[in-house]
């Protein structure tokens, strides 16, 4: 029987794979849809999926601290809209890498908010995993811009969302937690669509106030439906992963999102990874091994 830590790692690996696939599909869709439209459709279909699952098998946990449930939804929405926006303006690899700053933010939040203990081995593993990402992305060629800043901010909001999960995992069913995310992620874009024609905003936040356009082909609808399905599954797996183990441990395993994304990017026409990239992948794996040893220490 798998222990909690083993289940957490397994959930995270599956979630990272599906998340990388989701990023690739979103990149394709951004050629025809705005980031806000992607968030809206992805979450609207996600609401239907989660409500069906809850109707089939009702939640058993009693709930409570409703404000934390809504907070998780708000953090999740901000993380998602910033991620989808960055993949429209910078390369997919850079956008995903910036989003992967979330484990680093998560470690800090876990220490201060959840009072989790971090031993030296875990800290070393986090550093090694982060350095692996540095080698993969080769930041020497990455300019620091407003778009990159938004990507890092998205990583912070993702970490805040995962930290909130730890606060409510014992009182809410995982599906209810995901429902808070997709629910807020449906209502807020709808409201932004409604007010967009009547207000003028600075260009820097214009991506939050886009006029709604209905997709006009079966191909787009098919991709939207598939993205919504796997995104909802990914969110459920991530929720289960962060509920089953410490944020610092699952955060390192989440780095596998990067090599998965590189693979999907290559299939979509990206250049094949070079030696530095493969070295970075090796360091990420090493970080995962070290953090597991740190858990046992």
């Amino acid at each position: 029987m798998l222990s909690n830590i083993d289940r957490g790692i397994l959930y995270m690996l599956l979630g990272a794979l599906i998340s990388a696939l989701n990023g690739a599909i979103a990149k394709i869709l951004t050629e025809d849809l705005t980031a806000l439209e992607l968030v809206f459709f992805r979450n609207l279909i996600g609401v239907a999926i989660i409500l069906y699952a809850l109707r089939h098998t009702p939640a058993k946990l009693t709930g409570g601290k409703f404000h934390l449930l809504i907070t998780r939804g708000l953090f999740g929405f901000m993380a998602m809209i910033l991620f989808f926006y960055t993949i429209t303006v910078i390369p997919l690899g850079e956008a995903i890498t910036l989003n992967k700053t979330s484990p680093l933010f998560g470690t800090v939040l876990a220490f201060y908010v959840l009072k989790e203990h971090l031993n030296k081995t875990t800290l070393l593993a986090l550093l090694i995993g982060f350095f692996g990402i540095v080698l993969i992305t080769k930041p020497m060629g990455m300019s620091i811009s407003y778009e990159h800043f938004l990507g890092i901010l998205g990583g912070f909001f993702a970490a805040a969302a995962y930290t909130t999960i730890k606060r409510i995992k014992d009182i809410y069913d995982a599906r209810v937690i995901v429902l808070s995310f997709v629910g807020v992620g449906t209502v807020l874009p709808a409201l932004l669509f409604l007010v967009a024609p009547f207000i003028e905003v600075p260009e820097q936040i214009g991506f939050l106030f886009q006029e709604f356009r209905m997709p006009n082909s079966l191909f787009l609808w098919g991709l939207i439906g598939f993205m919504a399905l796997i995104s909802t599954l990914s969110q459920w797996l991530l929720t289960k992963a962060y509920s089953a183990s410490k944020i610092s441990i699952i955060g390192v395993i989440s780095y596998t999102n990067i090599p998965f994304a590189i693979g999907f990017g290559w299939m979509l026409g990206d250049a094949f990874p070079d030696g530095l990239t493969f070295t970075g992948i090796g360091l990420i794996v090493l970080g995962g091994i070290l953090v597991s040893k740190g858990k046992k220490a």
Side-chain angles (χ1 to χ4, degrees):
M1 186 174 182
L2 289 173
S3 65
N4 283 343
I5 177 62
D6 293 331
R7 286 202 303 271
I9 291 175
L10 179 60
Y11 287 138
M12 188 67 252
L13 286 172
L14 291 174
L17 174 61
I18 295 174
S19 177
L21 175 60
N22 178 64
I25 295 174
K27 184 71 171 179
I28 296 172
L29 282 170
T30 53
E31 297 178 3
D32 297 282
L33 301 175
T34 67
L36 195 62
E37 288 167 343
L38 280 179
V39 171
F40 174 74
F41 286 119
R42 173 254 181 270
N43 288 319
L44 180 62
I45 299 174
V47 167
I49 294 172
I50 295 298
L51 288 178
Y52 174 80
L54 287 171
R55 182 179 179 183
H56 182 270
T57 308
K60 296 181 179 179
L61 296 179
T62 57
K65 298 183 178 180
F66 184 71
H67 66 288
L68 289 179
L69 192 66
I70 298 301
T71 299
R72 186 270 181 266
L74 289 171
F75 286 151
F77 165 73
M78 290 304 301
M80 176 176 283
I81 185 62
L82 290 173
F83 172 69
F84 279 160
Y85 173 68
T86 55
I87 68 174
T88 68
V89 292
I90 62 176
L92 179 61
E94 291 184 14
I96 289 180
T97 300
L98 293 175
N99 189 258
K100 286 292 99 183
T101 58
S102 59
L104 303 179
F105 289 122
T107 299
V108 176
L109 290 173
F111 179 77
Y112 285 105
V113 177
L114 304 178
K115 310 302 180 184
E116 286 189 2
H117 173 69
L118 303 177
N119 59 39
K120 293 180 180 179
T121 303
T122 302
L123 291 174
L124 176 62
L126 286 170
L127 290 173
I128 290 175
F130 178 75
F131 186 63
I133 290 182
V134 169
L135 292 181
I136 288 175
T137 57
K138 306 171 188 63
M140 289 74 71
M142 181 189 292
S143 60
I144 302 300
S145 65
Y146 177 69
E147 289 77 13
H148 291 102
F149 168 74
L150 290 182
I152 296 172
L153 189 60
F156 171 79
F157 280 120
Y162 299 145
T163 303
T164 307
I165 290 172
K166 296 292 286 187
R167 296 284 300 277
I168 60 178
K169 67 182 181 66
D170 295 325
I171 57 178
Y172 281 105
D173 185 287
R175 294 166 299 169
V176 175
I177 297 176
V178 175
L179 181 62
S180 71
F181 167 55
V182 294
V184 171
T186 300
V187 173
L188 282 184
L191 293 176
L192 292 172
F193 285 135
L194 288 174
V195 302
F198 306 104
I199 62 174
E200 292 187 9
V201 297
E203 181 181 354
Q204 289 82 356
I205 59 172
F207 65 93
L208 290 173
F209 297 90
Q210 298 285 328
E211 293 190 32
F212 180 76
R213 299 173 302 173
M214 185 69 71
N216 56 9
S217 73
L218 289 177
F219 175 72
L220 287 179
W221 280 114
L223 282 182
I224 290 170
F226 184 60
M227 183 186 71
L229 178 64
I230 65 173
S231 294
T232 302
L233 176 59
S234 175
Q235 282 297 315
W236 181 81
L237 288 168
L238 293 179
T239 298
K240 294 291 289 184
Y242 279 95
S243 297
S245 187
K246 286 186 176 182
I247 289 178
S248 54
I249 293 172
I250 298 304
V252 172
I253 303 302
S254 74
Y255 286 151
T256 54
N257 190 20
I258 299 295
F260 289 145
I262 289 173
F264 287 123
W266 177 74
M267 287 187 285
L268 290 173
D270 289 347
F272 193 76
D274 57 19
L276 281 179
T277 298
F278 281 118
T279 302
I281 293 173
L283 289 175
I284 291 171
V285 174
L286 176 60
I289 295 173
L290 285 177
V291 81
S292 296
K293 290 183 178 181
K295 174 69 176 179
K296 297 177 182 179

